[in-house]
Amino acid sequence: MCNAPPMASLDTVRPYVEQLLKEFCETQDLVVDGDGDVPIRKGSTMYWVSLFEIDDEAQVKVWSFMARDVPETDALYRHLNEVNRGIHYGRVYYEDGDVIVSTELLAEDLDPRELQNACECVGTISDAHDDALVARFGGRVSFPED
């Protein structure tokens, strides 16, 4: 039997991830919501950086509501498959009326470029597709353009 080293807990990695986010966002005052997530706005979308554990292993999830209150249709699922074919880091899926963009990373070995790439990818994918998705299928974006 292999004796693996103990995995990092959320309490251990949270200060490190928050420091990486401060550097990425170029701020000393990181906003953390009531769930412990860090919200970041990009264009007409908002994405969050969340910490969670699976099997006692700390993970980072970068995710966004591309659109909320979207009616479920077969055409929507075909459209989301098309979007997924065109992206490399993350996935787009439908859940309970919401279209979500997300990716997950291991927190213990997280490197600054990896976190930055995840944030930029999720924010860019969501911002690039949200308005067209809502125009075609209904729903709403986080920050409608004026």
Side-chain angles (χ1 to χ4, degrees):
M1 182 173 197
C2 177
N3 288 331
M7 294 180 221
S9 70
L10 289 180
D11 293 335
T12 304
V13 299
R14 184 174 303 280
Y16 174 66
V17 172
E18 288 181 356
Q19 183 57 41
L20 291 180
L21 288 170
K22 286 178 184 178
E23 292 168 11
F24 172 68
C25 295
E26 298 178 346
T27 184
Q28 288 302 312
D29 300 316
L30 197 63
V31 175
V32 179
D33 69 16
D35 295 325
D37 304 332
V38 176
I40 302 171
R41 182 171 176 179
K42 180 168 178 91
S44 59
T45 196
M46 176 77 73
Y47 65 90
W48 289 264
V49 179
S50 307
L51 285 168
F52 66 101
E53 284 183 323
I54 294 180
D55 297 329
D56 296 324
E57 187 168 30
Q59 309 218 2
V60 175
K61 180 175 185 175
V62 182
W63 62 280
S64 173
F65 292 114
M66 181 186 292
R68 311 285 318 258
D69 303 321
V70 180
E72 183 176 15
T73 65
D74 289 342
L76 173 66
Y77 285 119
R78 286 192 297 276
H79 178 76
L80 298 182
N81 282 339
E82 287 292 319
V83 173
N84 277 319
R85 274 197 287 273
I87 61 177
H88 300 286
Y89 300 101
R91 66 187 173 286
V92 179
Y93 58 96
Y94 182 85
E95 183 177 281
D96 299 327
D98 299 321
V99 175
I100 300 168
V101 183
S102 72
T103 191
E104 292 82 23
L105 308 163
L106 294 175
E108 185 173 25
D109 298 328
L110 190 63
D111 115 339
R113 286 185 64 212
E114 184 180 28
L115 180 59
Q116 179 178 352
N117 181 62
C119 289
E120 288 176 354
C121 286
V122 167
T124 298
I125 291 165
S126 191
D127 187 45
H129 295 277
D130 60 355
D131 292 321
L133 184 136
V134 167
R136 184 170 172 191
F137 299 102
R140 59 186 170 85
V141 299
S142 295
F143 300 100
E145 295 185 19
D146 297 330

Tab-separated table of all heavy atoms in Angstrom, residues 8-57:
chain	number	residue	atom	x	y	z
A	8	ALA	N	-3.586	18.901	1.009
A	8	ALA	CA	-3.808	20.233	1.561
A	8	ALA	C	-5.285	20.454	1.847
A	8	ALA	O	-6.147	20.069	1.066
A	8	ALA	CB	-3.307	21.281	0.583
A	9	SER	N	-5.572	21.069	2.971
A	9	SER	CA	-6.950	21.389	3.335
A	9	SER	C	-7.308	22.780	2.824
A	9	SER	O	-6.437	23.558	2.430
A	9	SER	CB	-7.112	21.347	4.852
A	9	SER	OG	-6.416	22.435	5.437
A	10	LEU	N	-8.586	23.093	2.863
A	10	LEU	CA	-9.027	24.427	2.448
A	10	LEU	C	-8.363	25.517	3.274
A	10	LEU	O	-7.959	26.549	2.744
A	10	LEU	CB	-10.546	24.539	2.568
A	10	LEU	CG	-11.369	23.755	1.567
A	10	LEU	CD1	-12.858	23.988	1.830
A	10	LEU	CD2	-11.027	24.131	0.151
A	11	ASP	N	-8.258	25.299	4.588
A	11	ASP	CA	-7.645	26.303	5.455
A	11	ASP	C	-6.184	26.541	5.099
A	11	ASP	O	-5.673	27.653	5.255
A	11	ASP	CB	-7.761	25.884	6.930
A	11	ASP	CG	-9.194	25.895	7.411
A	11	ASP	OD1	-10.022	26.635	6.835
A	11	ASP	OD2	-9.498	25.146	8.361
A	12	THR	N	-5.515	25.510	4.610
A	12	THR	CA	-4.103	25.633	4.242
A	12	THR	C	-3.922	26.395	2.937
A	12	THR	O	-3.031	27.228	2.822
A	12	THR	CB	-3.471	24.227	4.088
A	12	THR	OG1	-3.667	23.507	5.295
A	12	THR	CG2	-2.005	24.307	3.778
A	13	VAL	N	-4.774	26.122	1.941
A	13	VAL	CA	-4.573	26.723	0.622
A	13	VAL	C	-5.294	28.057	0.429
A	13	VAL	O	-4.925	28.827	-0.452
A	13	VAL	CB	-4.975	25.753	-0.513
A	13	VAL	CG1	-4.138	24.493	-0.467
A	13	VAL	CG2	-6.443	25.448	-0.498
A	14	ARG	N	-6.316	28.341	1.253
A	14	ARG	CA	-7.085	29.580	1.054
A	14	ARG	C	-6.206	30.837	1.027
A	14	ARG	O	-6.336	31.652	0.104
A	14	ARG	CB	-8.189	29.718	2.100
A	14	ARG	CG	-9.078	30.939	1.868
A	14	ARG	CD	-10.257	30.995	2.821
A	14	ARG	NE	-11.093	29.827	2.767
A	14	ARG	CZ	-12.024	29.594	1.827
A	14	ARG	NH1	-12.205	30.478	0.872
A	14	ARG	NH2	-12.758	28.509	1.851
A	15	PRO	N	-5.284	31.042	1.980
A	15	PRO	CA	-4.458	32.260	1.914
A	15	PRO	C	-3.611	32.330	0.635
A	15	PRO	O	-3.446	33.411	0.062
A	15	PRO	CB	-3.559	32.154	3.154
A	15	PRO	CG	-4.271	31.223	4.074
A	15	PRO	CD	-5.026	30.270	3.207
A	16	TYR	N	-3.111	31.191	0.181
A	16	TYR	CA	-2.309	31.163	-1.048
A	16	TYR	C	-3.159	31.536	-2.267
A	16	TYR	O	-2.767	32.385	-3.072
A	16	TYR	CB	-1.689	29.769	-1.231
A	16	TYR	CG	-0.969	29.598	-2.538
A	16	TYR	CD1	0.186	30.322	-2.820
A	16	TYR	CD2	-1.443	28.715	-3.505
A	16	TYR	CE1	0.853	30.172	-4.032
A	16	TYR	CE2	-0.786	28.563	-4.709
A	16	TYR	CZ	0.361	29.292	-4.970
A	16	TYR	OH	1.008	29.147	-6.166
A	17	VAL	N	-4.342	30.935	-2.390
A	17	VAL	CA	-5.221	31.235	-3.526
A	17	VAL	C	-5.666	32.692	-3.479
A	17	VAL	O	-5.684	33.378	-4.508
A	17	VAL	CB	-6.430	30.274	-3.551
A	17	VAL	CG1	-7.459	30.704	-4.598
A	17	VAL	CG2	-5.971	28.837	-3.800
A	18	GLU	N	-6.001	33.192	-2.305
A	18	GLU	CA	-6.404	34.597	-2.192
A	18	GLU	C	-5.260	35.533	-2.572
A	18	GLU	O	-5.490	36.562	-3.213
A	18	GLU	CB	-6.939	34.888	-0.797
A	18	GLU	CG	-8.304	34.260	-0.566
A	18	GLU	CD	-8.895	34.535	0.808
A	18	GLU	OE1	-8.225	35.159	1.660
A	18	GLU	OE2	-10.052	34.105	1.030
A	19	GLN	N	-4.020	35.195	-2.219
A	19	GLN	CA	-2.874	36.020	-2.615
A	19	GLN	C	-2.705	36.011	-4.136
A	19	GLN	O	-2.446	37.048	-4.739
A	19	GLN	CB	-1.585	35.543	-1.931
A	19	GLN	CG	-0.375	36.401	-2.257
A	19	GLN	CD	-0.569	37.872	-1.895
A	19	GLN	OE1	-1.124	38.198	-0.851
A	19	GLN	NE2	-0.131	38.763	-2.767
A	20	LEU	N	-2.859	34.849	-4.757
A	20	LEU	CA	-2.781	34.773	-6.222
A	20	LEU	C	-3.862	35.636	-6.867
A	20	LEU	O	-3.604	36.331	-7.855
A	20	LEU	CB	-2.928	33.324	-6.700
A	20	LEU	CG	-1.800	32.361	-6.396
A	20	LEU	CD1	-2.126	30.980	-6.942
A	20	LEU	CD2	-0.472	32.862	-6.953
A	21	LEU	N	-5.065	35.613	-6.298
A	21	LEU	CA	-6.155	36.429	-6.844
A	21	LEU	C	-5.913	37.919	-6.642
A	21	LEU	O	-6.238	38.729	-7.513
A	21	LEU	CB	-7.493	36.008	-6.231
A	21	LEU	CG	-8.017	34.658	-6.716
A	21	LEU	CD1	-9.210	34.224	-5.872
A	21	LEU	CD2	-8.390	34.722	-8.189
A	22	LYS	N	-5.329	38.298	-5.521
A	22	LYS	CA	-4.982	39.706	-5.307
A	22	LYS	C	-3.998	40.177	-6.379
A	22	LYS	O	-4.136	41.276	-6.920
A	22	LYS	CB	-4.372	39.913	-3.923
A	22	LYS	CG	-5.364	39.857	-2.795
A	22	LYS	CD	-4.673	40.021	-1.452
A	22	LYS	CE	-5.639	39.879	-0.303
A	22	LYS	NZ	-4.979	39.981	1.000
A	23	GLU	N	-3.026	39.340	-6.682
A	23	GLU	CA	-2.050	39.692	-7.722
A	23	GLU	C	-2.718	39.757	-9.084
A	23	GLU	O	-2.488	40.688	-9.854
A	23	GLU	CB	-0.901	38.684	-7.710
A	23	GLU	CG	-0.046	38.787	-6.461
A	23	GLU	CD	0.924	37.626	-6.285
A	23	GLU	OE1	1.107	36.824	-7.226
A	23	GLU	OE2	1.499	37.523	-5.176
A	24	PHE	N	-3.564	38.768	-9.401
A	24	PHE	CA	-4.249	38.738	-10.688
A	24	PHE	C	-5.165	39.951	-10.861
A	24	PHE	O	-5.206	40.564	-11.910
A	24	PHE	CB	-5.050	37.437	-10.825
A	24	PHE	CG	-5.945	37.388	-12.025
A	24	PHE	CD1	-5.425	37.325	-13.308
A	24	PHE	CD2	-7.327	37.409	-11.876
A	24	PHE	CE1	-6.247	37.284	-14.418
A	24	PHE	CE2	-8.160	37.359	-12.978
A	24	PHE	CZ	-7.616	37.304	-14.255
A	25	CYS	N	-5.910	40.294	-9.811
A	25	CYS	CA	-6.850	41.420	-9.858
A	25	CYS	C	-6.177	42.761	-9.579
A	25	CYS	O	-6.840	43.802	-9.639
A	25	CYS	CB	-7.985	41.195	-8.854
A	25	CYS	SG	-9.025	39.776	-9.231
A	26	GLU	N	-4.894	42.725	-9.243
A	26	GLU	CA	-4.122	43.930	-8.933
A	26	GLU	C	-4.798	44.755	-7.843
A	26	GLU	O	-5.094	45.942	-8.010
A	26	GLU	CB	-3.882	44.754	-10.192
A	26	GLU	CG	-3.077	44.007	-11.235
A	26	GLU	CD	-2.871	44.788	-12.519
A	26	GLU	OE1	-3.553	45.811	-12.750
A	26	GLU	OE2	-2.008	44.353	-13.304
A	27	THR	N	-5.053	44.094	-6.714
A	27	THR	CA	-5.687	44.754	-5.577
A	27	THR	C	-5.145	44.170	-4.280
A	27	THR	O	-4.681	43.035	-4.247
A	27	THR	CB	-7.228	44.586	-5.620
A	27	THR	OG1	-7.798	45.330	-4.537
A	27	THR	CG2	-7.644	43.134	-5.498
A	28	GLN	N	-5.216	44.941	-3.240
A	28	GLN	CA	-4.889	44.440	-1.901
A	28	GLN	C	-6.152	44.123	-1.111
A	28	GLN	O	-6.099	43.497	-0.066
A	28	GLN	CB	-4.032	45.467	-1.137
A	28	GLN	CG	-2.612	45.557	-1.655
A	28	GLN	CD	-1.903	44.199	-1.582
A	28	GLN	OE1	-1.940	43.512	-0.568
A	28	GLN	NE2	-1.264	43.819	-2.680
A	29	ASP	N	-7.293	44.594	-1.624
A	29	ASP	CA	-8.573	44.415	-0.944
A	29	ASP	C	-9.455	43.476	-1.748
A	29	ASP	O	-10.302	43.916	-2.528
A	29	ASP	CB	-9.263	45.770	-0.746
A	29	ASP	CG	-8.427	46.714	0.091
A	29	ASP	OD1	-7.876	46.256	1.105
A	29	ASP	OD2	-8.328	47.897	-0.275
A	30	LEU	N	-9.273	42.205	-1.570
A	30	LEU	CA	-10.033	41.199	-2.291
A	30	LEU	C	-11.450	41.108	-1.730
A	30	LEU	O	-11.642	41.036	-0.518
A	30	LEU	CB	-9.329	39.840	-2.151
A	30	LEU	CG	-9.720	38.748	-3.122
A	30	LEU	CD1	-9.360	39.156	-4.551
A	30	LEU	CD2	-9.003	37.461	-2.759
A	31	VAL	N	-12.443	41.128	-2.597
A	31	VAL	CA	-13.835	40.978	-2.191
A	31	VAL	C	-14.124	39.490	-2.071
A	31	VAL	O	-13.865	38.719	-2.991
A	31	VAL	CB	-14.783	41.620	-3.225
A	31	VAL	CG1	-16.237	41.344	-2.866
A	31	VAL	CG2	-14.524	43.109	-3.328
A	32	VAL	N	-14.663	39.085	-0.922
A	32	VAL	CA	-15.057	37.695	-0.695
A	32	VAL	C	-16.513	37.729	-0.252
A	32	VAL	O	-16.860	38.433	0.695
A	32	VAL	CB	-14.170	37.020	0.373
A	32	VAL	CG1	-14.614	35.588	0.608
A	32	VAL	CG2	-12.698	37.073	-0.022
A	33	ASP	N	-17.376	36.979	-0.968
A	33	ASP	CA	-18.799	37.019	-0.625
A	33	ASP	C	-19.109	36.116	0.573
A	33	ASP	O	-18.211	35.482	1.142
A	33	ASP	CB	-19.679	36.689	-1.839
A	33	ASP	CG	-19.588	35.242	-2.297
A	33	ASP	OD1	-19.093	34.380	-1.547
A	33	ASP	OD2	-20.031	34.971	-3.432
A	34	GLY	N	-20.363	36.057	0.957
A	34	GLY	CA	-20.785	35.301	2.133
A	34	GLY	C	-20.536	33.804	2.042
A	34	GLY	O	-20.489	33.118	3.061
A	35	ASP	N	-20.374	33.285	0.821
A	35	ASP	CA	-20.083	31.865	0.632
A	35	ASP	C	-18.584	31.581	0.619
A	35	ASP	O	-18.175	30.438	0.443
A	35	ASP	CB	-20.682	31.371	-0.693
A	35	ASP	CG	-22.195	31.417	-0.700
A	35	ASP	OD1	-22.794	31.171	0.364
A	35	ASP	OD2	-22.773	31.691	-1.768
A	36	GLY	N	-17.766	32.643	0.741
A	36	GLY	CA	-16.321	32.473	0.678
A	36	GLY	C	-15.777	32.513	-0.738
A	36	GLY	O	-14.598	32.243	-0.973
A	37	ASP	N	-16.631	32.858	-1.714
A	37	ASP	CA	-16.224	32.936	-3.113
A	37	ASP	C	-15.753	34.348	-3.450
A	37	ASP	O	-16.205	35.325	-2.854
A	37	ASP	CB	-17.391	32.577	-4.038
A	37	ASP	CG	-17.986	31.210	-3.750
A	37	ASP	OD1	-17.250	30.338	-3.254
A	37	ASP	OD2	-19.186	31.023	-4.013
A	38	VAL	N	-14.879	34.437	-4.440
A	38	VAL	CA	-14.385	35.732	-4.898
A	38	VAL	C	-15.068	36.063	-6.231
A	38	VAL	O	-14.855	35.369	-7.225
A	38	VAL	CB	-12.850	35.709	-5.079
A	38	VAL	CG1	-12.359	37.034	-5.643
A	38	VAL	CG2	-12.171	35.386	-3.755
A	39	PRO	N	-15.937	37.093	-6.268
A	39	PRO	CA	-16.585	37.477	-7.512
A	39	PRO	C	-15.684	38.422	-8.321
A	39	PRO	O	-15.042	39.313	-7.759
A	39	PRO	CB	-17.843	38.206	-7.037
A	39	PRO	CG	-17.463	38.774	-5.700
A	39	PRO	CD	-16.446	37.834	-5.113
A	40	ILE	N	-15.647	38.201	-9.639
A	40	ILE	CA	-14.842	39.037	-10.531
A	40	ILE	C	-15.698	39.349	-11.760
A	40	ILE	O	-16.227	38.442	-12.392
A	40	ILE	CB	-13.536	38.331	-10.948
A	40	ILE	CG1	-12.704	37.971	-9.707
A	40	ILE	CG2	-12.739	39.194	-11.924
A	40	ILE	CD1	-11.505	37.083	-9.975
A	41	ARG	N	-15.803	40.618	-12.102
A	41	ARG	CA	-16.604	41.015	-13.270
A	41	ARG	C	-15.728	41.082	-14.509
A	41	ARG	O	-14.594	41.558	-14.464
A	41	ARG	CB	-17.265	42.367	-13.027
A	41	ARG	CG	-18.138	42.754	-14.211
A	41	ARG	CD	-18.982	43.951	-13.952
A	41	ARG	NE	-19.715	44.310	-15.168
A	41	ARG	CZ	-20.552	45.316	-15.245
A	41	ARG	NH1	-20.768	46.069	-14.194
A	41	ARG	NH2	-21.166	45.573	-16.379
A	42	LYS	N	-16.298	40.609	-15.623
A	42	LYS	CA	-15.665	40.747	-16.928
A	42	LYS	C	-16.771	41.071	-17.927
A	42	LYS	O	-17.606	40.224	-18.229
A	42	LYS	CB	-14.942	39.478	-17.335
A	42	LYS	CG	-14.266	39.614	-18.700
A	42	LYS	CD	-13.324	38.482	-18.986
A	42	LYS	CE	-12.712	38.616	-20.349
A	42	LYS	NZ	-11.476	39.349	-20.366
A	43	GLY	N	-16.782	42.303	-18.427
A	43	GLY	CA	-17.796	42.719	-19.390
A	43	GLY	C	-19.191	42.581	-18.828
A	43	GLY	O	-19.501	43.084	-17.756
A	44	SER	N	-20.031	41.823	-19.553
A	44	SER	CA	-21.424	41.662	-19.131
A	44	SER	C	-21.620	40.446	-18.226
A	44	SER	O	-22.742	40.050	-17.952
A	44	SER	CB	-22.326	41.529	-20.367
A	44	SER	OG	-21.934	40.425	-21.153
A	45	THR	N	-20.524	39.863	-17.755
A	45	THR	CA	-20.637	38.665	-16.924
A	45	THR	C	-19.915	38.832	-15.596
A	45	THR	O	-19.078	39.721	-15.430
A	45	THR	CB	-20.096	37.429	-17.689
A	45	THR	OG1	-20.549	36.246	-17.053
A	45	THR	CG2	-18.588	37.422	-17.755
A	46	MET	N	-20.265	37.979	-14.674
A	46	MET	CA	-19.579	37.888	-13.386
A	46	MET	C	-19.159	36.438	-13.244
A	46	MET	O	-19.938	35.532	-13.531
A	46	MET	CB	-20.534	38.258	-12.247
A	46	MET	CG	-19.951	38.111	-10.850
A	46	MET	SD	-18.838	39.443	-10.409
A	46	MET	CE	-19.999	40.782	-10.148
A	47	TYR	N	-17.919	36.213	-12.834
A	47	TYR	CA	-17.520	34.849	-12.518
A	47	TYR	C	-16.983	34.820	-11.101
A	47	TYR	O	-16.674	35.847	-10.517
A	47	TYR	CB	-16.520	34.291	-13.540
A	47	TYR	CG	-15.173	34.957	-13.604
A	47	TYR	CD1	-14.108	34.515	-12.820
A	47	TYR	CD2	-14.931	36.021	-14.476
A	47	TYR	CE1	-12.859	35.110	-12.890
A	47	TYR	CE2	-13.694	36.611	-14.558
A	47	TYR	CZ	-12.661	36.158	-13.766
A	47	TYR	OH	-11.418	36.753	-13.833
A	48	TRP	N	-16.948	33.623	-10.535
A	48	TRP	CA	-16.522	33.441	-9.161
A	48	TRP	C	-15.378	32.441	-9.094
A	48	TRP	O	-15.313	31.499	-9.879
A	48	TRP	CB	-17.667	32.903	-8.299
A	48	TRP	CG	-18.746	33.887	-8.050
A	48	TRP	CD1	-18.879	34.696	-6.960
A	48	TRP	CD2	-19.870	34.171	-8.885
A	48	TRP	NE1	-20.018	35.466	-7.082
A	48	TRP	CE2	-20.637	35.161	-8.256
A	48	TRP	CE3	-20.296	33.682	-10.127
A	48	TRP	CZ2	-21.810	35.673	-8.807
A	48	TRP	CZ3	-21.452	34.186	-10.677
A	48	TRP	CH2	-22.200	35.167	-10.021
A	49	VAL	N	-14.509	32.643	-8.124
A	49	VAL	CA	-13.464	31.681	-7.800
A	49	VAL	C	-13.832	31.107	-6.441
A	49	VAL	O	-13.945	31.848	-5.462
A	49	VAL	CB	-12.070	32.342	-7.780
A	49	VAL	CG1	-10.999	31.317	-7.426
A	49	VAL	CG2	-11.772	33.010	-9.132
A	50	SER	N	-14.063	29.800	-6.411
A	50	SER	CA	-14.538	29.109	-5.217
A	50	SER	C	-13.561	28.025	-4.810
A	50	SER	O	-12.960	27.373	-5.658
A	50	SER	CB	-15.892	28.441	-5.499
A	50	SER	OG	-16.818	29.357	-6.016
A	51	LEU	N	-13.437	27.819	-3.527
A	51	LEU	CA	-12.656	26.699	-2.997
A	51	LEU	C	-13.613	25.652	-2.458
A	51	LEU	O	-14.623	25.989	-1.835
A	51	LEU	CB	-11.736	27.168	-1.877
A	51	LEU	CG	-10.497	27.941	-2.317
A	51	LEU	CD1	-9.830	28.591	-1.122
A	51	LEU	CD2	-9.525	27.022	-3.026
A	52	PHE	N	-13.291	24.390	-2.691
A	52	PHE	CA	-14.106	23.299	-2.175
A	52	PHE	C	-13.211	22.074	-2.011
A	52	PHE	O	-12.055	22.083	-2.437
A	52	PHE	CB	-15.300	23.001	-3.094
A	52	PHE	CG	-14.909	22.476	-4.449
A	52	PHE	CD1	-14.990	21.118	-4.730
A	52	PHE	CD2	-14.465	23.330	-5.451
A	52	PHE	CE1	-14.639	20.633	-5.976
A	52	PHE	CE2	-14.115	22.850	-6.705
A	52	PHE	CZ	-14.191	21.488	-6.961
A	53	GLU	N	-13.739	21.045	-1.382
A	53	GLU	CA	-12.975	19.816	-1.177
A	53	GLU	C	-13.700	18.623	-1.779
A	53	GLU	O	-14.918	18.532	-1.709
A	53	GLU	CB	-12.765	19.532	0.316
A	53	GLU	CG	-11.719	20.395	0.953
A	53	GLU	CD	-11.478	20.050	2.412
A	53	GLU	OE1	-12.442	19.718	3.126
A	53	GLU	OE2	-10.320	20.132	2.830
A	54	ILE	N	-12.924	17.733	-2.366
A	54	ILE	CA	-13.400	16.428	-2.808
A	54	ILE	C	-12.431	15.412	-2.234
A	54	ILE	O	-11.219	15.506	-2.466
A	54	ILE	CB	-13.446	16.311	-4.344
A	54	ILE	CG1	-14.482	17.260	-4.926
A	54	ILE	CG2	-13.745	14.866	-4.757
A	54	ILE	CD1	-14.605	17.215	-6.429
A	55	ASP	N	-12.961	14.478	-1.471
A	55	ASP	CA	-12.114	13.447	-0.837
A	55	ASP	C	-10.952	14.073	-0.074
A	55	ASP	O	-9.802	13.646	-0.203
A	55	ASP	CB	-11.594	12.458	-1.881
A	55	ASP	CG	-12.722	11.695	-2.556
A	55	ASP	OD1	-13.755	11.463	-1.893
A	55	ASP	OD2	-12.574	11.340	-3.737
A	56	ASP	N	-11.241	15.117	0.694
A	56	ASP	CA	-10.250	15.816	1.524
A	56	ASP	C	-9.148	16.475	0.714
A	56	ASP	O	-8.069	16.765	1.234
A	56	ASP	CB	-9.633	14.867	2.561
A	56	ASP	CG	-10.661	14.368	3.561
A	56	ASP	OD1	-11.557	15.167	3.912
A	56	ASP	OD2	-10.573	13.204	3.973
A	57	GLU	N	-9.402	16.740	-0.562
A	57	GLU	CA	-8.415	17.416	-1.401
A	57	GLU	C	-8.978	18.771	-1.831
A	57	GLU	O	-10.052	18.844	-2.435
A	57	GLU	CB	-8.071	16.570	-2.627
A	57	GLU	CG	-6.944	17.144	-3.439
A	57	GLU	CD	-6.419	16.166	-4.464
A	57	GLU	OE1	-7.179	15.320	-4.962
A	57	GLU	OE2	-5.220	16.252	-4.765
